[in-house]
Amino acid sequence: MAKKSKFQCPIGMHDILPEEQAYYQKIYDVVSNIADFYGFGKIDTPIVEQEELFSKGIGLATDIVNKEMYILKTKGGDSLALRPEWTAPLVRAYIENGMQSLPQPVKLWYFGPCYRYERPQAGRYRQFWQFGFETFGESSPVIDAQIVQIFYNVLQELKLKNLITEVNSIGDSNCRPYYKKLLTSYFRNRVASLCVDCKRRLKENVLRILDCQEEKCQSIKSDAPQILDHLCEECHKHFKDVLEFLDEIGIPYELNPYLVRGLDYYTKTVFEIFSNKKEDKSLEEDSKRVALVGGGRYDKLVKVLGGRETPACGAAAGIERIKDLMKSQEIKLPKEVLAQVFLAQLGGLAKRRSLKILEIFRKAKIKVAESFGRDSLKAQLNRADRFGIKYTLIFGQKEALEGVIIIRDMQNGNQETVKLDKVVEEIKQRLKK
Ligand code: AMP
């Protein structure tokens, strides 16, 4: 067992060790290829933003702003927050960098860590990575469908199985206020039966009662008025068009009238993509679903944060959850290219010159392993054997003085001395065989 050190990673955060990096790299490669194909430009924003960006953008009544932000006061007295999500920072960057004057739509993607002070549990961390795609300046429902398609494509390209896409519309400022009134009066009449959190939600953000997972709220929810019956004409048409586009592209989806998402800024379309761990019999029914992606349309946010009214649509995916799923579904990653050549050196002069030889091989793109810290030939050959190396180069005092090097075939033990300036060519020829 690893020794317990005096210092530990902050709760809910983790190191990404070398053996895990291959997953992040694979996800990054797939996402960046797809981003490139669909014409998205990559953006990075600072890890911290002014706290107010999130309280204004995401909304004071959300858990993220209310309970989960890491806030720090700078020496200058500014109040900054570690970013809990990327959409508000992207909107800030879009406005601040004059992207409203560029030809629209402006399409951006990102890949990096977020911070939320949540109760850590499996798949829920305090530092986690997200990638996402956001489109600004396009109101057509085809964009909503395309955003769903892009995330679906990423997950499929990563070979993830059992994906479920759920969609809903939460209307806009025309129809949502009336629906919220209906909902408030419905739940007010049943307030005694709601869980403690939902009693609070009833005052602060009634829509959130719809995605409550508490047992006692389920039956009350199931008879609540549904937003799809109360959408205004424009939102209704928009939603119908989104579904037709999804049908056209052949993305399987389910309608979920209770999907409202945790953030205040959404308008019209909202969606999530889950993976269903059907096969895992040890899990409770409700923990079989892992939320991988969430997003939707947010036509008001750019204006709320100080820009011109600009329609926008996008989503974010959780990278740790995708990585964990790739592992549990036993998705194979490309094998790391192992070194086929080992450079063994003997004596001070040879050791010094070996550093140069290594560089010649690096430039020729041939991976060479070494063990410069060891002086005995036997120890170095043992190491080469352990790496399963095909050829070992032996370079001692005599060879260094004569400008030659020995190539040893590790399978049959045959050795041949070649000129140092020919060694790369010689190795290339042998590796081709
Ligand atoms: P959200 O920004 O809350 O819509 O989340 C988008 C996606 O990020 C979710 O579907 C999850 O995959 C992932 N995610 C959100 N919160 C966490 C967390 N605390 N730990 C790990 N992944 C998360």
Side-chain angles (χ1 to χ4, degrees):
M1 219 173 89
K3 194 171 158 220
K4 198 164 182 197
S5 67
K6 186 172 161 201
F7 296 109
Q8 284 156 26
C9 220
I11 293 169
M13 305 195 182
H14 48 267
D15 303 311
I16 307 174
L17 298 174
E19 54 272 26
E20 296 265 285
Q21 295 287 345
Y23 289 94
Y24 284 76
Q25 191 60 47
K26 174 73 188 169
I27 298 168
Y28 186 91
D29 290 346
V30 167
V31 173
S32 66
N33 277 332
I34 287 188
D36 191 42
F37 179 82
Y38 288 100
F40 283 72
K42 184 162 188 250
I43 183 164
D44 284 304
T45 60
I47 277 180
V48 287
E49 296 277 353
Q50 284 166 284
E51 180 194 349
E52 210 195 342
L53 176 73
F54 299 109
S55 47
K56 255 189 150 173
I58 305 177
L60 282 168
T62 59
D63 283 353
I64 293 185
V65 170
N66 220 350
K67 306 191 214 150
E68 297 170 2
M69 279 216 289
Y70 282 87
I71 293 166
L72 54 112
K73 293 267 184 261
T74 66
K75 286 183 184 152
D78 293 332
S79 182
L80 301 180
L82 290 183
R83 71 172 163 236
E85 56 103 53
W86 283 77
T87 306
L90 257 65
V91 172
R92 196 259 314 130
Y94 173 78
I95 301 168
E96 191 177 348
N97 294 290
M99 290 189 232
Q100 290 190 295
S101 330
L102 298 176
Q104 307 290 304
V106 169
K107 302 171 169 187
L108 301 170
W109 74 281
Y110 55 83
F111 194 103
C114 294
Y115 302 83
R116 293 184 196 168
Y117 194 80
E118 298 199 74
R119 198 165 57 80
Q121 48 189 293
R124 188 167 295 286
Y125 310 107
R126 290 183 175 172
Q127 176 183 282
F128 58 98
W129 285 55
Q130 284 190 335
F131 67 81
F133 293 87
E134 312 283 345
T135 313
F136 296 97
E138 185 59 79
S139 55
S140 166
V142 72
I143 295 295
D144 311 34
Q146 206 178 28
I147 290 285
V148 177
Q149 180 188 28
I150 286 172
F151 281 91
Y152 197 78
N153 285 352
V154 168
L155 300 177
Q156 283 225 309
E157 198 127 312
L158 289 168
K159 306 209 165 36
L160 291 174
K161 295 188 284 278
N162 308 328
L163 300 176
I164 302 162
T165 304
E166 290 188 351
V167 282
N168 191 23
S169 171
I170 54 167
D172 65 5
S173 51
N174 271 330
C175 45
R176 195 160 51 202
Y178 174 67
Y179 174 67
K180 274 174 129 177
K181 254 191 203 160
L182 279 181
L183 211 55
T184 308
S185 104
Y186 173 85
F187 285 121
R188 204 175 277 146
N189 290 333
R190 293 154 182 87
V191 65
S193 319
L194 291 173
C195 73
V196 182
D197 276 339
C198 283
K199 285 188 176 123
R200 180 177 49 81
R201 290 178 184 131
L202 184 56
K203 290 193 201 110
E204 292 174 355
N205 191 349
V206 66
L207 282 182
R208 291 301 311 277
I209 299 181
L210 293 179
D211 68 3
C212 176
Q213 302 300 324
E214 282 290 319
E215 188 63 44
K216 62 190 296 196
C217 297
Q218 301 311 309
S219 60
I220 314 174
K221 262 169 50 176
S222 62
D223 290 331
Q226 297 201 353
I227 180 108
L228 293 184
D229 299 327
H230 299 279
L231 292 177
C232 61
E233 208 175 308
E234 191 195 318
C235 289
H236 187 268
K237 163 116 184 44
H238 188 96
F239 192 50
K240 190 169 148 275
D241 288 349
V242 173
L243 300 184
E244 278 174 14
F245 285 122
L246 290 177
D247 289 335
E248 183 68 34
I249 344 171
I251 291 185
Y253 63 84
E254 291 169 16
L255 296 181
N256 177 356
Y258 302 123
L259 185 67
V260 290
R261 313 267 306 118
L263 315 172
D264 274 357
Y265 53 62
Y266 288 106
T267 48
K268 296 182 177 158
T269 319
V270 288
F271 77 96
E272 290 202 39
I273 305 181
F274 301 89
S275 173
N276 205 348
K277 293 184 173 176
K278 283 191 283 222
E279 70 278 10
D280 196 335
K281 296 202 171 54
S282 69
L283 290 176
E284 298 279 320
E285 218 30 65
D286 61 348
S287 50
K288 283 191 179 185
R289 281 156 60 94
V290 188
L292 301 175
V293 179
R297 180 162 279 286
Y298 48 97
D299 289 345
K300 299 282 176 249
L301 188 59
V302 179
K303 184 137 188 236
V304 167
L305 294 178
R308 277 201 307 269
E309 183 139 343
T310 309
C313 186
I319 294 172
E320 280 79 4
R321 293 197 188 166
I322 292 177
K323 175 208 71 178
D324 289 345
L325 214 58
M326 286 171 75
K327 283 186 172 174
S328 69
Q329 294 187 2
E330 294 177 6
I331 291 164
K332 301 265 178 303
L333 294 175
K335 278 221 167 89
E336 196 197 342
V337 182
L338 297 173
Q340 293 175 301
V341 180
F342 188 91
L343 175 57
Q345 38 67 43
L346 283 165
L349 179 65
K351 193 190 289 270
R352 280 202 300 281
R353 296 219 175 136
S354 290
L355 292 171
K356 249 190 175 159
I357 299 175
L358 204 64
E359 288 309 294
I360 299 168
F361 276 97
R362 185 178 64 76
K363 284 185 186 140
K365 298 195 176 9
I366 300 173
K367 204 164 166 182
V368 177
E370 43 72 27
S371 185
F372 288 161
R374 288 186 167 77
D375 291 328
S376 115
L377 183 61
K378 192 166 167 232
Q380 292 182 69
L381 289 179
N382 275 345
R383 213 172 157 80
D385 254 344
R386 243 192 299 142
F387 282 143
I389 296 276
K390 276 188 163 163
Y391 299 102
T392 294
L393 304 171
I394 302 172
F395 194 53
Q397 177 83 358
K398 180 167 170 285
E399 286 76 24
L401 289 171
E402 290 174 8
V404 295
I405 193 162
I406 299 166
I407 302 178
R408 179 187 171 93
D409 185 324
M410 296 298 281
Q411 261 154 23
N412 53 25
N414 289 347
Q415 296 195 168
E416 191 185 333
T417 303
V418 301
K419 285 223 166 93
L420 201 48
D421 56 4
K422 294 274 183 296
V423 66
V424 170
E425 254 335 288
E426 289 286 343
I427 287 290
K428 268 190 189 161
Q429 291 303 330
R430 284 173 166 76
L431 290 177
K432 259 191 215 158
K433 283 178 200 161

